[in-house]
Amino acid sequence: MSKLEKRDEIARAALGLIAENGFHGAPMAMIAEKAGVGAGTIYRYFENKDILINELYRDLEERIYPIILCGYEQKQTIRNRFLHMNSAMLRYFIENPLDFRFLEQFHNSPFGVAHRRDKILGKKKECDIFLELFREGIAQKIVKDLPLVILFALSFGPILTVTRDHILGFIKLDDVLIDQTVAACWDAITA
Amino acid sequence: MSKLEKRDEIARAALGLIAENGFHGAPMAMIAEKAGVGAGTIYRYFENKDILINELYRDLEERIYPIILCGYEQKQTIRNRFLHMNSAMLRYFIENPLDFRFLEQFHNSPFGVAHRRDKILGKKKECDIFLELFREGIAQKIVKDLPLVILFALSFGPILTVTRDHILGFIKLDDVLIDQTVAACWDAITA
DNA sequence: TATTACGGAATGAACGTTCATTCCTAGATA
DNA sequence: TATCTAGGAATGAACGTTCATTCCGTAATA
């Protein structure tokens, strides 16, 4: 097994255990066992557990962004661009429940708060595309003139809740339902 | 100090620490210190930590329900009833950030999942008023004909996200903003 | 005095991390 | 080609710490 493969094996094991059992249900020994390596080996690839977790998050972001942006066309209407991105995100979460659960664990932890602070205080290019979209919509008087943070909440809040419900088996989201949900989010933010 | 007062003191200390630091940042010894009792004393009031946490949750639900329903009038329009309940909830969360943070910790933990399963499988009268409201709205073709779970997500998802942003200081929610946000949620669920 | 409540030291389990040791492999040697 | 060797990678037992819980001597209460 190559170096990269082993690193990925450890990362995959850690992400799965954390997603399913939370940070505390994923001791290093268990991660090592699931990855098929010795406990000490993990420390050859990740300095400590905190760093492991933060790298998992970084990897995940890098995996998600291109997928959500795939097929995104700047020349489309604002509405279509919004529907595209929001449903791409919802679909990704539904198809990758472990990724979603890990994200939730991450955000509801000191890691997540620290991460948010960094984001608010600093650079973190990411959500720029959404911000851009909202700003454009407001300028054209299509989108409600509300703080961007609130538009975000109206767009993503329901996506997160609905994904959780889907993963926990409270509802089965099909293509129609996904489109209806995303369209309802659009209704929330439009004037 | 009376028996009940001491129980409450412990509960308050536990809720505060868990809200601020998570379940793992709230060891029993720390709860005891904050409550001004010995570590062993806690076990005279709560059989173990799991039971303590579940009782905290139960207490919290009992505290919140009457507050949200206060001033609720069955004869009001569906829209007004929705706005009333949703903004009451948002206002409560903003005014009681510790309660909100505790709820989030609870929901994002094995406790919360177990609790949800119980709710879906069984009794748990609670959200009945919301369900009732949604059903009535659908019957009158005012509310979108979507599964109740999705209407829930569209209504509460943004409230949760926005509250988190407010508590973390990313936005300052005033009366106007609260009303606008809740109204936007109404736009999301209406046909 | 008898009973109950309290406090906090003691306990043992579980955890993250370390490190002395073993294992593996690629290159050198013959 | 067969053998040896050096050095990095892997290992998992052991360590120190932290935590929930228990225990028992003391204080309050009746």
Side-chain angles (χ1 to χ4, degrees), chain A residues 93-163:
Chain A
F93 285 153
I94 287 173
E95 281 161 27
N96 302 274
L98 287 184
D99 282 1
F100 177 77
R101 303 264 290 147
F102 173 83
L103 276 183
E104 291 234 298
Q105 299 281 356
F106 186 88
H107 281 128
N108 284 282
S109 73
F111 300 109
V113 175
H115 183 261
R116 280 201 162 214
R117 290 227 178 286
D118 289 354
K119 198 191 287 186
I120 220 69
L121 291 176
K123 22 264 138 179
K124 294 282 177 187
K125 52 171 183 348
E126 42 175 307
C127 312
D128 265 7
I129 304 131
F130 275 104
L131 289 180
E132 196 51 48
L133 197 57
F134 289 147
R135 267 195 278 261
E136 197 180 327
I138 293 172
Q140 296 187 22
K141 299 203 187 298
I142 295 173
V143 171
K144 290 188 174 98
D145 189 9
L146 290 172
L148 295 178
V149 171
I150 295 204
L151 295 176
F152 253 91
L154 292 167
S155 306
F156 304 135
I159 301 298
L160 301 181
T161 307
V162 141
T163 304

Side-chain angles (χ1 to χ4, degrees), chain B residues 91-141:
Chain B
R91 279 172 214 280
Y92 181 85
F93 285 153
I94 287 174
E95 280 161 26
N96 301 273
L98 288 184
D99 282 1
F100 176 78
R101 302 263 292 145
F102 174 83
L103 276 184
E104 291 234 299
Q105 299 280 358
F106 186 88
H107 280 126
N108 283 282
S109 74
F111 299 110
V113 175
H115 182 263
R116 280 200 163 215
R117 290 225 179 287
D118 291 353
K119 199 191 285 186
I120 220 69
L121 292 175
K123 20 263 137 181
K124 295 280 178 188
K125 51 174 185 348
E126 43 174 308
C127 313
D128 265 8
I129 304 131
F130 274 104
L131 288 179
E132 197 51 48
L133 197 58
F134 288 147
R135 267 194 278 262
E136 196 179 327
I138 293 172
Q140 295 187 23
K141 299 202 186 298

Side-chain angles (χ1 to χ4, degrees), chain A residues 23-169:
Chain A
F23 291 115
H24 308 280
M28 293 299 256
M30 203 183 287
I31 293 171
E33 193 190 10
K34 183 164 179 179
V37 303
T41 307
I42 297 178
Y43 291 85
R44 299 198 57 77
Y45 295 88
F46 304 95
E47 200 176 322
N48 58 45
K49 196 175 183 179
D50 277 24
I51 287 178
L52 163 60
I53 289 168
N54 277 295
E55 288 203 20
L56 288 181
Y57 182 82
R58 208 171 36 72
D59 288 359
L60 186 47
E61 271 194 336
E62 279 175 16
R63 232 178 304 146
I64 289 184
Y65 262 82
I67 289 176
I68 286 172
L69 285 182
C70 166
Y72 183 84
E73 295 183 40
Q74 190 63 42
K75 62 180 190 297
Q76 276 286 321
T77 62
I78 292 181
R79 180 169 191 273
N80 280 342
R81 276 181 281 162
F82 177 86
L83 296 181
H84 174 271
M85 279 208 289
N86 229 10
S87 76
M89 190 167 280
L90 179 48
R91 279 173 214 279
Y92 181 85
F93 285 153
I94 287 173
E95 281 161 27
N96 302 274
L98 287 184
D99 282 1
F100 177 77
R101 303 264 290 147
F102 173 83
L103 276 183
E104 291 234 298
Q105 299 281 356
F106 186 88
H107 281 128
N108 284 282
S109 73
F111 300 109
V113 175
H115 183 261
R116 280 201 162 214
R117 290 227 178 286
D118 289 354
K119 198 191 287 186
I120 220 69
L121 291 176
K123 22 264 138 179
K124 294 282 177 187
K125 52 171 183 348
E126 42 175 307
C127 312
D128 265 7
I129 304 131
F130 275 104
L131 289 180
E132 196 51 48
L133 197 57
F134 289 147
R135 267 195 278 261
E136 197 180 327
I138 293 172
Q140 296 187 22
K141 299 203 187 298
I142 295 173
V143 171
K144 290 188 174 98
D145 189 9
L146 290 172
L148 295 178
V149 171
I150 295 204
L151 295 176
F152 253 91
L154 292 167
S155 306
F156 304 135
I159 301 298
L160 301 181
T161 307
V162 141
T163 304
R164 207 163 26 224
D165 288 338
H166 177 89
I167 290 175
L168 292 177

Side-chain angles (χ1 to χ4, degrees), chain B residues 27-28 40 43 48-49:
Chain B
M28 294 299 256
Y43 290 84
N48 57 46
K49 195 175 184 179

